[in-house]
Amino acid sequence: MANQDDKFKKVISHAKEYGYVFQSSEIYDGLSAVYDYAQNGVELKKNIRDYWWKAMVQMHENIVGLDAAIFMHPTTWKASGHVDAFNDPLIDNKDSKKRYRADVLVEDYCAKIENKINKEVTKAAKRFGDAFNKDEFVSTNGRVLGYQEKINTILSRMAKSLEDEDLADVKALIEELEIADPLTGSKNWTDVKQFNLMFGTKLGASAESAMDLYLRPETAQGIFVNFLNVQKTGRMKIPFGIAQTGKAFRNEIVARQFIFRMREFEQMEMQFFVKPGTQKKWYKKWKETRLKWHLSLGLGAVNYRFHDHEKLAHYADAAADIEFKFPFGFKELEGIHSRTDFDLKAHEEFSGKKLQYFDHEENKSYVPYVVETSIGLDRMFLAVFSNALEYETLEDGSIRTVLKLPAVLAPTKAAVLPLIKRDGLPEIAKQIVEDLKWDFNVAYDEKDAVGRRYRRQDANGTPFCITVDHDTLKDNTVTVRHRDTMEQKRVKIEELRDIIKQEVDVKSWLMKM
Ligand code: GAP
């Protein structure tokens, strides 16, 4: 745990030190769970968004994009169920005055029991050595089974209480389990209350005529309300998808873990409209396709897993998360949901307008079913960034900090470095920058010894350093140093574009899907 915390702290401070992510309004002591993307962060974020857009929109003939407004008619959120049901159960500690999500307190309690299971497994693995069979052990060992049963009983009771809106029982559960405030140890709790996560605002000049609006808590509803407009004007045939990226806002009660859970964040969502009855097939297909997209970036297959939801939201007939191994453990990165016809039907009902598709093959109209893929751009940023940060011990014993970002996503693709600041070397280096910047984001760096500049670019995630030296004057060659291997190669200046392209080109990365 200490190690995990340590790694996570390093990720956060590296993100600040190298101009990736800053706390919002830092000079005023910051705004909780709101962050700004700095000069490098904004490039990395854009590259992730573009990588998603290319794969999801431009590579699919039957998926088109949309950029709906953040403000929507307030009835949208009545229809979608967010006004009535987009709540988290919160509980306050009367002594510490700290506010918690009641369900998270219970889940954290269960996670501690899960840790005990993991300890039993580690002990047994040591004892039995090569003969150890983990699946057999966890399904037969009495102690492990006891722990697992306890977790199941607690979680199913909580799920039932939440579903029945029996918040008194959620409090009773917290008290029975003797769950204490994680910060102070106090068990002096208030009742559990529901708290709506949407941010409200007002539209209009005068207080009397102003209309209550919400900042959208998901981008998906902008797609649903535009479904028929896009289908008709784009002459789209089912199955087809509408994708969009954009800001979403949630007044999260427990907003911690840096950019993992924010109050203002960005989503990349795609709603895929299908014929009723075919949704299971498409759900399976999108689960596979999305995992392949993740794997194409090379962050390591062991760092992903699916979590299939057993308890489904009222509108879904299947749902799964793609979880990623963040520095604080496996957590949700993306959701894939088979949302039935719930949203379109609800908008039909509340707007009084038909949102149906006429199927020429079937010669009838119907409300399509929807399979949704929804990923948080900021979470993807954190996944990529935290996975990339490494500290390598070199042969001379020194530590190299290197940000091994997938080259296709790296903010700066190459840095051009004149060995010294005279003899015409800076002029050649600047000319190389001028030539390459048409194709790639490149930097010029002449400050400090070249070794220090290499280290700076390593920590910045720049895949290539190009050094101009006195031999360049004679034969038009430069040294190309590779970030990950630190290997250096002498190449002709005119070869640079192809060398960089080979490693950063979106096509070659997406072809791995
Ligand atoms: N339209 C479906 C939807 O919004 P969700 O599971 O609530 O589903 C989808 O959110 C994704 O959005 C999550 O998997 C996560 O990556 C991201 N996300 C949700 N809440 C977030 C928050 N507070 N901060 C950052 N990302 C968040």
Side-chain angles (χ1 to χ4, degrees):
M1 202 62 174
N3 248 348
Q4 281 189 356
D5 286 352
D6 199 35
K7 162 95 206 252
F8 192 36
K9 278 189 193 138
K10 283 183 176 153
V11 166
I12 297 169
S13 64
H14 195 87
K16 180 170 181 197
E17 193 182 340
Y18 284 86
Y20 278 84
V21 184
F22 300 150
Q23 176 77 60
S24 158
S25 337
E26 199 189 66
I27 58 166
Y28 295 106
D29 298 331
L31 189 61
S32 162
V34 187
Y35 291 91
D36 298 339
Y37 287 86
Q39 65 277 15
N40 284 317
V42 73
E43 295 285 343
L44 174 56
K45 199 173 168 201
K46 180 182 179 302
N47 291 344
I48 298 173
R49 195 190 295 111
D50 288 350
Y51 194 69
W52 183 88
W53 192 263
K54 186 83 210 167
M56 295 295 284
V57 182
Q58 296 176 345
M59 296 306 293
H60 285 100
E61 277 167 30
N62 60 347
I63 301 181
V64 292
L66 179 76
D67 185 11
I70 287 172
F71 291 142
M72 298 183 71
H73 193 284
T75 311
T76 309
W77 306 109
K78 198 73 196 142
S80 66
H82 284 82
V83 171
D84 296 321
F86 195 51
N87 299 320
D88 275 345
L90 68 83
I91 190 165
D92 292 296
N93 187 280
K94 290 183 196 162
D95 296 328
S96 69
K97 310 273 181 265
K98 291 273 172 216
R99 177 160 285 186
Y100 296 95
R101 259 176 66 176
D103 54 335
V104 171
L105 286 178
V106 175
E107 279 165 10
D108 286 352
Y109 179 90
C110 291
K112 282 187 192 143
I113 310 179
E114 184 129 21
N115 276 343
K116 289 185 185 167
I117 297 181
N118 292 338
K119 274 192 190 142
E120 292 291 335
V121 171
T122 315
K123 259 199 305 188
K126 256 195 206 148
R127 196 163 2 113
F128 295 115
D130 287 347
F132 181 62
N133 179 333
K134 185 180 167 194
D135 290 342
E136 195 186 317
F137 178 76
V138 294
S139 58
T140 54
N141 179 274
R143 210 173 290 162
V144 170
L145 288 174
Y147 286 143
Q148 194 55 56
E149 197 185 321
K150 191 167 178 196
I151 294 177
N152 295 346
T153 311
I154 295 170
L155 291 182
S156 55
R157 173 165 161 200
M158 183 171 71
K160 182 159 184 336
S161 313
L162 288 175
E163 198 168 300
D164 298 348
E165 293 271 315
D166 185 357
L167 299 180
D169 191 55
V170 179
K171 182 181 181 191
L173 181 62
I174 288 175
E175 285 176 339
E176 279 166 40
L177 298 173
E178 299 190 9
I179 295 177
D181 181 330
L183 290 176
T184 62
S186 158
K187 292 177 192 158
N188 193 6
W189 296 110
T190 62
D191 288 342
V192 177
K193 282 178 280 196
Q194 288 291 20
F195 175 76
N196 193 287
L197 298 186
M198 284 196 293
F199 282 104
T201 185
K202 289 197 183 292
L203 180 125
S206 72
E208 306 83 62
S209 64
M211 187 184 205
D212 285 317
L213 291 188
Y214 295 105
L215 299 185
R216 66 180 178 198
E218 62 169 11
T219 59
Q221 297 304 326
I223 294 180
F224 288 123
V225 301
N226 279 297
F227 154 73
L228 211 53
N229 280 341
V230 173
Q231 189 271 318
K232 290 224 157 103
T233 55
R235 289 178 288 119
M236 308 300 290
K237 283 207 176 67
I238 269 180
F240 74 91
I242 306 177
Q244 77 167 328
T245 70
K247 288 276 176 127
F249 304 82
R250 296 183 189 177
N251 198 358
E252 299 281 0
I253 302 167
V254 187
R256 54 178 185 205
Q257 293 169 320
F258 192 40
I259 54 172
F260 180 80
R261 195 177 301 285
M262 302 157 88
R263 297 204 162 98
E264 174 181 340
F265 58 101
E266 193 164 336
Q267 288 187 315
M268 307 192 285
E269 298 200 295
M270 193 276 298
Q271 315 296 131
F272 201 67
F273 300 91
V274 305
K275 196 158 121 185
T278 63
Q279 71 272 19
K280 283 262 142 64
K281 177 184 93 182
W282 287 109
Y283 169 70
K284 188 167 170 278
K285 166 102 175 63
W286 279 110
K287 267 177 82 176
E288 286 163 13
T289 308
R290 291 303 304 145
L291 184 63
K292 279 191 199 154
W293 179 85
H294 285 282
L295 295 179
S296 72
L297 286 169
L299 308 190
V302 291
N303 291 320
Y304 297 90
R305 71 181 186 197
F306 278 115
H307 169 236
D308 293 308
H309 291 204
E310 275 160 32
K311 189 183 157 294
L312 295 169
H314 57 287
Y315 54 78
D317 65 6
D321 298 332
I322 295 179
E323 294 188 337
F324 183 77
K325 197 169 178 196
F326 288 97
F328 37 82
F330 272 102
K331 291 272 181 239
E332 173 186 344
L333 170 59
E334 168 156 9
I336 294 122
H337 313 122
S338 175
R339 286 180 81 129
T340 67
D341 54 1
F342 173 84
D343 301 85
L344 288 179
K345 275 214 167 126
H347 287 304
E348 275 199 326
E349 191 191 316
F350 278 79
S351 68
K353 310 267 163 44
K354 281 220 171 308
L355 290 174
Q356 302 202 351
Y357 171 78
F358 184 74
D359 191 324
H360 287 275
E361 280 167 26
E362 303 257 330
N363 201 25
K364 65 172 190 192
S365 296
Y366 53 77
V367 177
Y369 270 44
V370 172
V371 175
E372 163 186 77
T373 73
S374 174
I375 175 170
L377 175 49
D378 313 85
R379 272 195 203 175
M380 187 61 198
F381 184 110
L382 183 60
V384 169
F385 191 87
S386 58
N387 185 272
L389 185 59
E390 289 185 16
Y391 298 94
E392 285 179 357
T393 308
L394 302 183
E395 273 173 18
D396 63 2
S398 65
I399 305 284
R400 177 172 88 116
T401 304
V402 53
L403 195 60
K404 291 187 176 170
L405 296 170
V408 65
L409 302 181
T412 308
K413 306 302 185 198
V416 189
L417 326 170
L419 188 64
I420 52 170
K421 278 193 264 182
R422 47 168 209 277
D423 303 340
L425 304 188
E427 287 73 12
I428 299 177
K430 281 179 189 161
Q431 188 55 50
I432 294 175
V433 169
E434 281 304 308
D435 292 344
L436 291 178
K437 77 180 181 195
W438 290 95
D439 298 291
F440 317 108
N441 198 19
V442 286
Y444 174 81
D445 189 1
E446 61 173 24
K447 196 171 174 290
D448 301 321
V450 77
R452 282 189 70 172
R453 279 180 272 168
Y454 283 158
R455 292 296 180 87
R456 192 154 58 224
Q457 295 300 334
D458 288 345
N460 215 29
T462 311
F464 295 104
C465 282
I466 298 161
T467 308
V468 176
D469 57 23
H470 291 94
D471 285 342
T472 312
L473 299 170
K474 290 183 238 151
D475 59 9
N476 242 8
T477 64
V478 288
T479 301
V480 174
R481 174 184 177 275
H482 199 274
R483 177 195 67 196
D484 297 349
T485 59
M486 292 189 289
E487 260 169 28
Q488 302 195 8
K489 237 179 26 184
R490 202 76 200 169
V491 304
K492 288 234 171 285
I493 290 178
E494 31 321 348
E495 291 170 336
L496 285 172
R497 179 170 289 103
D498 285 344
I499 292 172
I500 300 170
K501 188 165 186 278
Q502 252 179 24
E503 284 213 24
V504 308
D505 193 31
V506 174
K507 183 176 173 186
S508 54
W509 285 80
L510 278 181
M511 292 282 275
K512 293 182 213 154
M513 266 183 82

